[in-house]
Amino acid sequence: MNTNSLTNRSMKVVPTLEETLKSIGLNIKLDENVQAWFNQLTITWLTWKRSPSLEHHLQVFFDTNPDRYRIALVFVAKCKDSKDCKPKTLPFFIMENLHKWSCKNDTSPEDCLKFPAFRIATEQRNQQYLNLIVKTYKIITIKETILPLVKNMLKNDNCKQASQVVLAMELYEDIPVEDLLFPLIIQDKYNMIIEYLSECPNQVLQLVLFLDKILDKNVSIRDLVQKYIYEYNITCVNYEKLHHKPLGKFVGRLCSKFNIPIETCKNLCRNRTLGGLRYLIHQKYVDHNVSLTVWDDLIKDTLKENSELALEFVYMIVNHDKKEAAKWSQYFNLPDTDLPQSLKKMSLDAVSSVENENWDDDDGDENPNQNFYEISLPADRIIIINTPEMLYELTNTYLVDCNLVSIDSEWKPSFGAAQSHVALIQIAVENYVYLIDTLALNKPQYSSFWYDFNKSLLDNAEIIKLGFGLEQDLKQIKGSVVGLNNIKVKGEGLLDLSTLWKNLISSGLSLQSSSGTVGNSLSSLVEICFGYPLRKSEQRSNWEIRPLRETQIQYAAIDAHVLVELYNFLQEKCLEQDINFEEICNDTMIDKKTKCVKQLKYSEKTPTGSAIKAKSVDDVKFFVEGKLINYMPYLRYYGIDTLLIPETLLWHDVINQAMFENRYILLAKLKCTPMKTYPQSSILDVGNGYVTKEKLQKIQNYFNIHIKESDFTKRCINCNGLDLEKLTSDKVSKLCSQYQNVSSVSSNVNYTVPTDHDYYEKCDKYLSDSDDDDIVCTPTHNLCVTSTGVAIQIQNVQKLSQSPQAAIICNFCGRLFWDGDDLYKTVMSVANSSLK
């Protein structure tokens, strides 16, 4: 070993707590008698811990020793656990008894001891101990001395400790809440913020108003974040969370948790309203999923309290439909001078004819050639319950002998401030559907009727209550209806068909659908089972309109009654396929893991190599289970299109997606295909564990893939992208130089590169709080980026710069691959050795 290299290294020596106290002028010496007393105290503590006898001895010591406050600090400094003073430690016990003694005798320490006490309190991590010392030594009296230290903590990226001191000393008026908590938001430490605000809820409104102010579209969040980063030396920045949408969600979360009216947040409400309007536009003009009547009702309702947003709405819609934009500009009497140029150019005759042409043209957006699932009940079997007498009769007569009912609920879409309440509850049985009008019955004087409804139906475990997303419906009902605020939302008697469907498929149920439907929605399940989807044009309608339209009544009735029909259908299919339906239902209700379908032997599912035609890498695409993510770089290195299976997809939908994209499936553990149209031979279980060349060979042999050297590095092994660029050693040298210069400026910045999850994460633009949801704040430095503007990532850049060589860069994710890149080197070595 080279001893010279050791002697030349500098070592940082951390002073002990005693040395720290001595350096700030505290006398840490104890006379022999006191030292002996303390030694005996530590021995007794190890044996007995907390005890009345030990507490008595401490109280007697404080009674007899006039220098008690200084000695207590020295005692604490000498304790072994002085860095982690939890309630069960000796330092906490000493301070706790000193505090009791001081309160009993109404005494105060000398001013010269208050700052050393503060140093002791901040040298450890326990908030309770900090609070205890602040009270015992009355440190609040030296606030002017402490404030600069707290501000210095903030400027040195120590917001957690600063927040602890602010709480302990109640410095709320001296430290602005935005300076204390916004750095924590920048670092994505939301739970820490919630903990702080729970201790001082009077600070919530101030923070909410500050955050709402920066949600104004005229405020540059990016510039504000950069200001805080440089001013407070903030590291580990999470830029993905620093734009309007996640900040808006956090403000809404704060308002909900601390009971602040959402209407207080003007910018948040405005952004939510605009997001709702974008969503409606998408539903109408892209998904064609909203009838004109529903569209008109929701636009009027959304903008009736926000008429100042009408002009923005017209600008949003004009590119989709000029006549519709002209209609709404007339409806809101918008000045012609403010309208989009394309509307100004429309002739007066065209504009004047808009109203007569559009207002009453209902259901014009639905495809007339599309067939939808229809309810099998006559109209007289759909009964509206809108009086307390009818509700009583429903509970005590109509539902008495039922052992299976379905439950659904409807509420007006909430695009603005306040959350809408449940407007309709649907209860369906075999031959009837009951629509409970909660707008008419949700009143305090009817709470006894709802209590009876809960006891007889909802809380009755002998009656199975079906739902699809049942927990969400029951939570809405629980938060809306007087008298139902204590209902349970899951457990025995409550059966969610969405979960049951998943468990049945996992247990081997095969639903032979030819519809090619993909999705987890109720409409998807209905189409798989019955061949037709549900009509969804009324789904987002205004359910607070009275009387309800006939189309709304039909939609509400179908949504509830089809659950009973699905239950019966699935029960019948399970009987045909020898699956224990009742057991799986019971396991689903109590959230017990269901047994997976029995696996086939490998020989039963593996075709012979001669039976499969040889394929090139361009003929093969894979879906890979999450447990096998470590296989993906090797397959991509071969040039094979390889994607991760989204964890949110049901197995049935994974198969549908694989069929749609013509992909094979690789699993760690075998599952059987639920469809004859997707053969079992397209699924391979390669086993779990680390990647080995034998397992890669197993994949090649099973699918008979012919891999050539020219196929190598056709795809990015990091993100599956095809946009790879070869760089000469000269270009690499220049790139390394630029990369190192940028890194020295922005060494504290964390970048996130696109990965497989980006393939699935669709930006929810239409329900967003912002027009710029896809914009992620990035540093304002002159970044080293690809030709597509993505930040470049280089591993071992210093080594590469010393010996530049040719490399490959992915223009989609920014990853640069060379022989010194650990991932690339490993993949090349193993993948090359595993070729047939």
Side-chain angles (χ1 to χ4, degrees):
M1 180 182 291
N2 187 351
T3 57
N4 291 330
S5 63
L6 292 177
T7 57
N8 291 332
R9 292 180 182 177
S10 62
M11 298 180 65
K12 182 179 180 181
V13 179
V14 179
T16 64
L17 187 52
E18 291 180 79
E19 291 170 338
T20 299
L21 294 177
K22 185 177 179 180
S23 68
I24 60 176
L26 181 70
N27 178 11
I28 62 171
K29 293 182 179 180
L30 300 175
D31 64 40
E32 292 183 5
N33 292 333
V34 173
Q35 182 65 55
W37 191 93
F38 175 68
N39 293 341
Q40 184 60 45
L41 175 68
T42 57
I43 294 171
T44 307
W45 175 263
L46 290 174
T47 304
W48 298 103
K49 300 296 182 183
R50 286 177 174 270
S51 68
S53 175
L54 196 57
E55 183 174 338
H56 174 70
H57 282 305
L58 265 175
Q59 293 293 325
V60 171
F61 177 82
F62 294 143
D63 277 331
T64 58
N65 199 310
D67 199 13
R68 59 190 68 85
Y69 286 102
R70 181 190 69 83
I71 291 174
L73 292 179
V74 178
F75 281 176
V76 167
K78 288 180 176 292
C79 290
K80 292 182 179 180
D81 42 9
S82 59
K83 290 287 186 181
D84 190 14
C85 300
K86 295 178 181 178
K88 293 184 179 181
T89 61
L90 180 56
F92 197 98
F93 183 70
I94 292 171
M95 279 298 158
E96 189 176 44
N97 278 277
L98 179 60
H99 179 65
K100 290 179 181 178
W101 185 92
S102 64
C103 292
K104 178 182 176 181
N105 293 277
D106 194 22
T107 64
S108 299
E110 300 174 25
D111 287 346
C112 64
L113 296 176
K114 295 178 179 180
F115 183 69
F118 176 77
R119 287 298 300 269
I120 284 180
T122 54
E123 286 289 327
Q124 56 80 55
R125 299 181 292 273
N126 188 273
Q127 177 75 51
Q128 286 180 269
Y129 187 65
L130 172 62
N131 295 342
L132 184 59
I133 288 187
V134 167
K135 292 176 182 177
T136 304
Y137 284 83
K138 297 179 171 55
I139 299 177
I140 189 67
T141 59
I142 60 167
K143 182 175 72 171
E144 298 305 320
T145 303
I146 303 302
L147 273 175
L149 299 179
V150 177
K151 293 177 180 177
N152 192 53
M153 292 176 189
L154 292 173
K155 289 188 176 181
N156 287 283
D157 194 21
N158 196 357
C159 296
K160 180 177 180 179
Q161 188 176 55
S163 65
Q164 290 176 334
V165 175
V166 170
L167 283 174
M169 297 187 60
E170 299 182 359
L171 302 176
Y172 312 127
E173 302 299 324
D174 303 283
I175 303 292
V177 68
E178 59 267 24
D179 290 348
L180 185 65
L181 299 185
F182 193 60
L184 295 176
I185 291 174
I186 291 174
Q187 297 176 87
D188 195 18
K189 296 180 179 179
Y190 289 100
N191 289 337
M192 196 179 296
I193 296 170
I194 297 295
E195 289 176 11
Y196 173 86
L197 294 175
S198 297
E199 294 293 327
C200 52
N202 58 323
Q203 294 285 289
V204 178
L205 181 59
Q206 186 179 342
L207 178 63
V208 163
L209 292 177
F210 167 76
L211 293 176
D212 186 62
K213 187 183 298 182
I214 67 177
L215 289 177
D216 187 332
K217 296 304 174 60
N218 296 319
V219 173
S220 172
I221 296 179
R222 185 180 313 207
D223 292 344
L224 181 65
V225 167
Q226 290 301 319
K227 173 180 175 291
Y228 271 83
I229 288 175
Y230 292 126
E231 186 172 341
Y232 295 99
N233 297 309
I234 300 173
T235 57
C236 300
V237 178
N238 189 341
Y239 287 97
E240 291 185 357
K241 298 289 185 71
L242 298 175
H243 52 108
H244 289 84
K245 184 175 181 179
L247 287 177
K249 286 184 177 179
F250 182 60
V251 173
R253 178 183 168 193
L254 290 177
C255 290
S256 175
K257 182 174 181 61
F258 295 98
N259 296 318
I260 294 178
I262 197 72
E263 296 87 349
T264 307
C265 308
K266 303 300 182 184
N267 289 314
L268 175 62
C269 294
R270 182 179 185 279
N271 294 345
R272 283 186 172 182
T273 300
L274 290 175
L277 292 172
R278 284 194 298 275
Y279 174 71
L280 285 176
I281 291 172
H282 179 82
Q283 289 294 312
K284 177 175 172 62
Y285 292 103
V286 179
D287 289 348
H288 304 289
N289 220 7
V290 178
S291 70
L292 286 176
T293 302
V294 171
W295 163 263
D296 288 343
D297 286 346
L298 289 179
I299 297 301
K300 292 175 184 178
D301 186 75
T302 301
L303 293 178
K304 71 180 179 182
E305 303 296 336
N306 300 278
S307 57
E308 68 279 4
L309 299 181
L311 184 61
E312 290 192 50
F313 169 66
V314 168
Y315 271 87
M316 290 163 59
I317 198 176
V318 70
N319 291 329
H320 295 275
D321 189 338
K322 289 182 183 179
K323 289 187 176 181
E324 191 71 11
K327 180 181 85 174
W328 290 107
S329 65
Q330 279 191 334
Y331 181 82
F332 291 108
N333 295 317
L334 299 178
D336 292 342
T337 54
D338 295 340
L339 296 179
Q341 194 63 34
S342 57
L343 289 188
K344 294 178 183 178
K345 293 180 180 179
M346 290 179 67
S347 67
L348 292 177
D349 292 338
V351 172
S352 62
S353 66
V354 164
E355 186 169 357
N356 293 330
E357 181 178 337
N358 285 8
W359 285 107
D360 300 317
D361 185 15
D362 194 15
D363 297 329
D365 283 335
E366 258 179 1
N367 183 355
N369 298 320
Q370 173 71 61
N371 292 318
F372 294 99
Y373 179 80
E374 300 292 345
I375 193 167
S376 57
L377 295 178
D380 60 356
R381 297 292 181 94
I382 303 172
I383 301 172
I384 296 179
I385 308 294
N386 55 11
T387 67
E389 293 78 16
M390 295 181 73
L391 180 59
Y392 177 84
E393 192 174 4
L394 170 68
T395 303
N396 295 281
T397 303
Y398 301 152
L399 302 179
V400 168
D401 297 325
C402 295
N403 55 18
L404 176 74
V405 303
S406 65
I407 297 177
D408 193 20
S409 62
E410 307 293 346
W411 56 88
K412 182 182 72 174
S414 177
F415 296 140
Q419 179 65 39
S420 298
H421 293 292
V422 169
L424 196 70
I425 298 175
Q426 304 103 281
I427 305 292
V429 293
E430 194 78 39
N431 298 314
Y432 284 91
V433 178
Y434 305 98
L435 307 181
I436 305 176
D437 185 355
T438 53
L439 288 187
L441 297 174
N442 189 13
K443 298 175 182 178
Q445 60 265 36
Y446 302 144
S447 58
S448 61
F449 293 92
W450 288 111
Y451 179 83
D452 192 23
F453 175 80
N454 177 38
K455 283 299 178 183
S456 300
L457 177 64
L458 301 181
D459 200 37
N460 186 349
E462 295 182 3
I463 301 176
I464 295 177
K465 278 75 66 178
L466 298 174
F468 199 93
L470 180 59
E471 185 176 347
Q472 177 62 28
D473 279 308
L474 291 176
K475 282 181 178 179
Q476 288 290 134
I477 293 170
K478 182 177 182 177
S480 298
V481 181
V482 176
L484 297 183
N485 57 310
N486 291 321
I487 64 173
K488 64 180 183 180
V489 297
K490 57 183 177 181
E492 191 176 2
L494 301 173
L495 181 58
D496 194 322
L497 273 183
S498 63
T499 307
L500 176 64
W501 175 19
K502 178 181 178 180
N503 291 342
L504 289 174
I505 294 298
S506 298
S507 300
L509 178 65
S510 177
L511 299 175
Q512 306 299 337
S513 169
S514 60
S515 66
T517 299
V518 177
N520 302 330
S521 67
L522 175 60
S523 183
S524 299
L525 180 57
V526 172
E527 186 170 3
I528 289 168
C529 295
F530 302 137
Y532 299 109
L534 295 175
R535 189 188 302 273
K536 308 303 289 184
S537 58
E538 291 287 352
Q539 182 181 31
R540 299 162 191 88
S541 64
N542 186 352
W543 290 97
E544 295 182 2
I545 292 176
R546 292 295 182 273
L548 292 170
R549 291 188 298 274
E550 186 59 35
T551 52
Q552 287 181 302
I553 293 173
Q554 285 292 312
Y555 171 85
I558 291 174
D559 253 21
H561 192 258
V562 75
L563 298 175
V564 177
E565 295 183 307
L566 284 170
Y567 179 89
N568 293 334
F569 178 87
L570 293 172
Q571 186 178 40
E572 182 182 336
K573 287 297 179 184
C574 286
L575 182 63
E576 292 175 2
Q577 299 176 33
D578 197 24
I579 295 172
N580 193 329
F581 180 76
E582 284 72 22
E583 180 182 356
I584 296 174
C585 286
N586 289 331
D587 290 346
T588 300
M589 285 189 284
I590 63 175
D591 200 22
K592 180 181 176 182
K593 298 293 183 182
T594 56
K595 297 178 181 179
C596 292
V597 63
K598 182 179 178 182
Q599 296 186 2
L600 299 175
K601 294 180 180 179
Y602 184 76
S603 58
E604 294 176 323
K605 62 186 179 64
T606 306
T608 59
S610 59
I612 300 179
K613 181 181 178 182
K615 306 178 184 67
S616 70
V617 296
D618 295 327
D619 297 328
V620 180
K621 294 190 288 186
F622 285 125
F623 261 155
V624 176
E625 189 178 12
K627 293 179 180 178
L628 304 178
I629 192 171
N630 49 328
Y631 284 72
M632 296 173 62
Y634 300 89
L635 297 171
R636 290 169 176 173
Y637 178 78
Y638 292 146
I640 299 174
D641 184 351
T642 308
L643 294 175
L644 195 66
I645 296 175
E647 294 181 358
T648 55
L649 281 188
L650 299 177
W651 175 238
H652 189 278
D653 295 324
V654 171
I655 297 297
N656 272 320
Q657 191 71 20
M659 290 170 58
F660 181 74
E661 297 185 17
N662 196 26
R663 291 184 183 274
Y664 298 110
I665 298 176
L666 302 179
L667 301 174
K669 191 175 181 181
L670 176 68
K671 290 183 181 179
C672 296
T673 176
M675 297 183 182
K676 292 181 180 179
T677 49
Y678 190 82
Q680 190 67 41
S681 60
S682 295
I683 304 173
L684 172 65
D685 63 314
V686 297
N688 209 341
Y690 295 100
V691 173
T692 62
K693 66 178 182 180
E694 289 80 13
K695 290 183 178 179
L696 289 173
Q697 288 172 346
K698 177 180 177 180
I699 296 172
Q700 295 173 51
N701 291 333
Y702 184 87
F703 295 104
N704 201 6
I705 307 170
H706 180 57
I707 302 172
K708 302 173 291 185
E709 283 193 25
S710 59
D711 296 321
F712 295 170
T713 64
K714 290 168 65 174
R715 289 184 175 274
C716 175
I717 63 175
N718 180 56
C719 71
N720 202 44
L722 288 169
D723 192 0
L724 298 179
E725 180 182 350
K726 294 182 179 180
L727 304 179
T728 64
S729 57
D730 290 340
K731 286 187 177 181
V732 170
S733 178
K734 293 178 182 178
L735 184 60
C736 287
S737 176
Q738 182 185 4
Y739 186 86
Q740 287 174 307
N741 290 336
V742 171
S743 297
S744 65
V745 176
S746 56
S747 58
N748 291 328
V749 176
N750 294 338
Y751 295 99
T752 303
V753 299
T755 63
D756 296 277
H757 296 286
D758 295 329
Y759 176 81
Y760 305 104
E761 291 188 3
K762 306 297 183 183
C763 231
D764 192 7
K765 297 179 182 177
Y766 307 101
L767 284 175
S768 161
D769 294 331
S770 169
D771 291 326
D772 305 315
D773 289 337
D774 53 339
I775 298 176
V776 176
C777 287
T778 54
T780 56
H781 310 305
N782 182 21
L783 293 178
C784 187
V785 298
T786 67
S787 59
T788 58
V790 178
I792 292 175
Q793 306 291 311
I794 305 177
Q795 191 182 65
N796 296 331
V797 63
Q798 187 173 2
K799 181 179 178 182
L800 179 59
S801 63
Q802 293 171 353
S803 179
Q805 56 183 272
I808 299 172
I809 191 167
C810 175
N811 285 320
F812 179 73
C813 71
R815 184 70 180 268
L816 184 136
F817 300 101
W818 63 290
D819 290 346
D821 183 298
D822 294 337
L823 173 63
Y824 190 63
K825 185 166 53 177
T826 302
V827 169
M828 279 198 304
S829 173
V830 176
N832 290 341
S833 65
S834 66
L835 288 180
K836 294 188 288 185

